Amino acid sequence: QPPRSCEDYWWEWKHCRGLRHAFHHYYAHGELPACGRWREDYEACRAWEKGRAAAAQEALCKSERARVMEKQKYAPVWKLRKSPPPDWYLPLDQDKPN
């Protein structure tokens, strides 16, 4: 069984090709999104479901592993706390002048 349903790959491909997503991606990254990977994953998923093709299974698993590794590449923006600050219950100093 594939890691995701094939419809998920189809939806991601359609979303990636959409005008709104392309505009946002171009604004944020300065280039149009590369959507071919989603289409290839969809085709590999269909081949895996239809004929249990080993090559399609390996390609799809490799693509999913690469996607997970790409997500883990970036460090979190915020430092996560272990506990709340000691004065968390005190009122904020919004009314006091600096």
Side-chain angles (χ1 to χ4, degrees):
Q1 177 176 342
R4 301 183 191 190
S5 71
C6 294
E7 286 74 29
D8 289 347
Y9 294 111
W10 180 258
W11 184 87
E12 289 286 352
W13 180 66
K14 293 294 276 184
H15 172 72
C16 185
R17 291 185 60 223
L19 183 62
R20 185 175 184 162
H21 175 72
F23 180 76
H24 173 74
H25 194 276
Y26 187 79
Y27 179 78
H29 302 286
E31 61 187 19
L32 291 174
C35 302
R37 189 162 138 194
W38 289 112
R39 177 69 179 193
E40 292 166 5
D41 289 349
Y42 172 72
E43 291 170 356
C45 182
R46 282 293 180 208
W48 185 357
E49 280 186 344
K50 284 184 182 177
R52 304 278 182 219
Q57 179 180 2
E58 182 59 36
L60 192 57
C61 289
K62 184 178 176 183
S63 178
E64 283 293 328
R65 277 189 226 108
R67 196 171 286 120
V68 168
M69 293 303 291
E70 191 175 313
K71 275 186 181 179
Q72 294 174 351
K73 183 169 57 173
Y74 301 104
V77 175
W78 304 104
K79 181 180 174 188
L80 299 177
R81 296 185 194 160
K82 302 287 185 213
S83 61
D87 58 351
W88 69 269
Y89 58 90
L90 296 175
L92 296 175
D93 296 336
Q94 294 175 349
D95 299 330
K96 294 183 180 179
N98 291 341

